[in-house]
Amino acid sequence: MLLASLCFAVMGGFVKILSSTLPSVEITFFRNLFGVIIIGIIIYKIPLSQKGGRPWLLFFRGFMGFISLLAYFYVMANIPLGVATTYNKTSPLFVALFAYLFLQEKLQKYAIFALLIGFLGIVFVAKPEGFGLSKYDILGILSGIGAALAYTSIRELRHYYDTRAIVLSFMLVGSIGPLILMVIAELFSPTWLDFALSTFVMPQGVEWLYLCGVGLFATISQYLMTKAYSLTKAGIVGAVSYSNIIFATAIGIFLGDPIPDIWTFLGIILVILAGLLVSKKEKPQKGN
């Protein structure tokens, strides 16, 4: 999981570099296209074994995963990498909340406490002026919410679909969605929707190598994470996964991000602490 977190942070570094010349929606397209090819080859070698029956929920998982990734890639280009990663890592908090709201899972008192300190951490990271959040803060939080909705839907989908089909749903929507958005952007592209509507820019020279880096490190990270969850307790793996924030912060500073101030640092600590508490809550459920 430590290696998976490092690979995911390295992927973020490539995304940040590419974002200076390529739109985030296009980077999202290439990242998912790489995954579709790999998962497609694996399914071709070993056919799917599943009963199916929930196509709309499968699409919902793919769509929310796509929205989360699109928002995540956009904010990485505009705010420090460590902060963007912290927003994305709020997903376990929202998973706990959505599981309570939609799946009738119990929410223990310490889990409620975890949610409170986690959301306080978000406030410290965002540092809103008055009652307003910046566009980047809102999209950063959206990346966490989208990931949480995608993860929550997996709890139901795993009873109907092969894991590879669930992953492929995300990759396919994440490949087709950007194509549609880039076509729309040729006709209609308001500034406030620049995170989703941008015209295609042909990558040049070393940018192709960086795009391959995004796809390669994302795929390696996904594999290592899956392997980690299969080898030990989910609570332990979930705790180690927060090293992603540390790696992302270090890589971001190397690429020119400012060193986090005391309030941002405190907010990151609170989000990590909240995530660890929620992971402890999830541990007995995983064993059932």
Side-chain angles (χ1 to χ4, degrees), residues 49-93:
S49 177
Q50 59 191 23
K51 63 179 180 179
R54 301 297 297 276
W56 287 109
L57 186 60
L58 191 65
F59 172 77
F60 176 80
R61 182 270 180 270
F63 181 75
M64 294 314 304
F66 163 54
I67 293 299
S68 171
L69 190 65
L70 183 61
Y72 183 40
F73 279 9
Y74 181 81
V75 295
M76 275 197 287
N78 293 283
I79 65 176
L81 191 58
V83 174
T85 302
T86 300
Y87 280 136
N88 189 254
K89 291 297 288 184
T90 60
S91 58
L93 307 180

Side-chain angles (χ1 to χ4, degrees), residues 214-237:
V214 170
L216 179 62
F217 279 96
T219 302
I220 293 174
S221 175
Q222 190 74 36
Y223 171 77
L224 292 173
M225 180 179 66
T226 302
K227 190 70 174 175
Y229 274 106
S230 70
L231 292 175
T232 191
K233 295 178 181 179
I236 296 174
V237 177

Side-chain angles (χ1 to χ4, degrees), residues 115-156:
L115 293 178
L116 291 176
I117 64 171
F119 293 132
L120 179 62
I122 292 174
V123 172
F124 284 158
V125 171
K127 295 187 286 292
E129 297 181 5
F131 292 97
L133 293 171
S134 74
K135 175 182 179 180
Y136 307 127
D137 294 323
I138 292 172
L139 288 172
I141 294 169
L142 177 63
S143 76
I145 293 174
L149 287 170
Y151 296 151
T152 304
S153 66
I154 291 174
R155 298 189 180 194
E156 181 70 13

